[in-house]
Each structure stands twice: as C-alpha cells, then as structure tokens.
Amino acid sequence: MTTLYDFQPRLADQTPFPLEQLRGKVLLIVNTASKCGFTPQYNGLEAIHRQFHARGLEVMGFPCNQFGAQEPGNAEEIGAFCEKNYGVSFPLFAKIDVNGEQADPLYQYLKKEAPGLLGSKAIKWNFTKFLVRRDGTVFKRYAPQTRPEEMISDIETLLAE
C-alpha cells in the first residue's frame, strides 16, 4: 500500500526529497504560480510557515504552469521571484504537472485521498491546498480561493493531535 511517505518529489535543484523525513510533521502542500491572481497568497503561506514551523508544520510549494501558463519561469526565476516579492523561506519544489498523464505521483496520490467538490479529482487552479496530518493521512483539501489564514484553526487542531 502506498503512503505519503513513499514519495520523493524533487526540490527546485532536482534533488530528490524523501517525504519520509517529514514523518511526524503536519504538511501544507500547495501548487503555486507566480503570475496568478492568487499569487499574493504567498504572503499568507509564509506567515503560516513562520508562525507554526517550530511546532511541526512544513509548508511545501509546488510550482505548476498548467493553469493559464501562470508559472512560465525556470526554477531559479521562480525562487528569486518568491524570495524577493514575498520573502518565501519554505521549500519550493521543481515545477510539476498536477493534472493529466504527466501529473506528479504525489499529486495523483493527494487527489485520490482528498477529492474536490462533487468527488472531482482534478486540481481546478493554482493554490489548491492539501493539509496532511502528522501520520501522513490527508486531512482536507482547500479551494484556491481559501486564504492561508483561513486554515489556521485546522492547522492548530492538527498540531495539537
């Protein structure tokens, strides 16, 4: 049986990142884009990262160019943009697809574990968020328009588990 900890997404520099090393942490996994109407959510994601990281929260950004070609840059450009404009210090991973035949295996797993509205497995847009419990089970999927600060109560609940 596959678990979240079986996956090894690649960091922006293409280094494999075994999720096994995050066992016991609460994860907030987000598909991101630099030229999207929701891009200012990077501010909220960074604030949550700073507020809760020491208590066991890991925010993880996965750039994706599948929605309106809103993430056209390479890894270096994406990282520089996020750091300069939003002070992002949480890890950004290699650009991936979240839908279709080339969808990253981690996202295939997340979509199966937490389908969207009416059971849809497809990611609808940038900044869809998945909150994962310390045991690696997916707690909830959040819509792109859900601002990170609206998730604080759920994050605090999972950190207390």
Side-chain angles (χ1 to χ4, degrees):
M1 184 173 140
T2 301
T3 73
L4 182 95
Y5 302 117
D6 294 330
F7 297 100
Q8 293 190 40
R10 294 190 176 276
L11 292 166
D13 67 2
Q14 296 298 319
T15 304
F17 184 90
L19 293 185
E20 175 63 39
Q21 65 189 331
L22 298 179
R23 188 180 290 271
K25 306 247 183 199
V26 173
L27 309 179
L28 177 55
I29 301 171
V30 187
N31 65 300
T32 61
S34 299
K35 299 185 183 308
C36 175
F38 295 124
T39 300
Q41 287 189 22
Y42 271 125
N43 282 325
L45 292 169
E46 179 62 20
I48 282 175
H49 168 71
R50 290 175 189 249
Q51 182 176 355
F52 295 109
H53 185 258
R55 290 178 50 198
L57 176 72
E58 294 289 338
V59 177
M60 305 165 70
F62 287 86
C64 177
N65 196 39
Q66 286 189 290
F67 306 102
Q70 294 179 344
E71 189 58 276
N74 63 33
E76 187 175 293
E77 293 165 336
I78 294 166
F81 170 86
C82 291
E83 186 177 335
K84 176 184 176 201
N85 293 293
Y86 298 101
V88 168
S89 62
F90 57 84
L92 292 172
F93 287 76
K95 193 174 353 180
I96 61 166
D97 283 354
V98 296
N99 290 328
E101 290 183 17
Q102 300 301 313
D104 186 86
L106 172 61
Y107 266 80
Q108 292 177 29
Y109 175 83
L110 291 169
K111 294 185 302 184
K112 182 173 107 339
E113 295 298 307
L117 194 60
L118 303 176
S120 168
K121 289 200 172 89
I123 301 293
K124 298 294 187 206
W125 203 254
N126 304 308
F127 291 89
T128 298
K129 301 156 202 72
F130 292 90
L131 192 58
V132 179
R133 291 181 177 93
R134 290 182 188 271
D135 67 2
T137 59
V138 180
F139 171 73
K140 190 172 179 182
R141 176 178 179 160
Y142 300 85
Q145 59 268 29
T146 302
R147 294 185 331 267
E149 50 272 20
E150 295 174 60
M151 302 168 59
I152 288 176
S153 176
D154 287 344
I155 291 168
E156 287 180 330
T157 296
L158 296 188
L159 288 172
E161 286 183 345

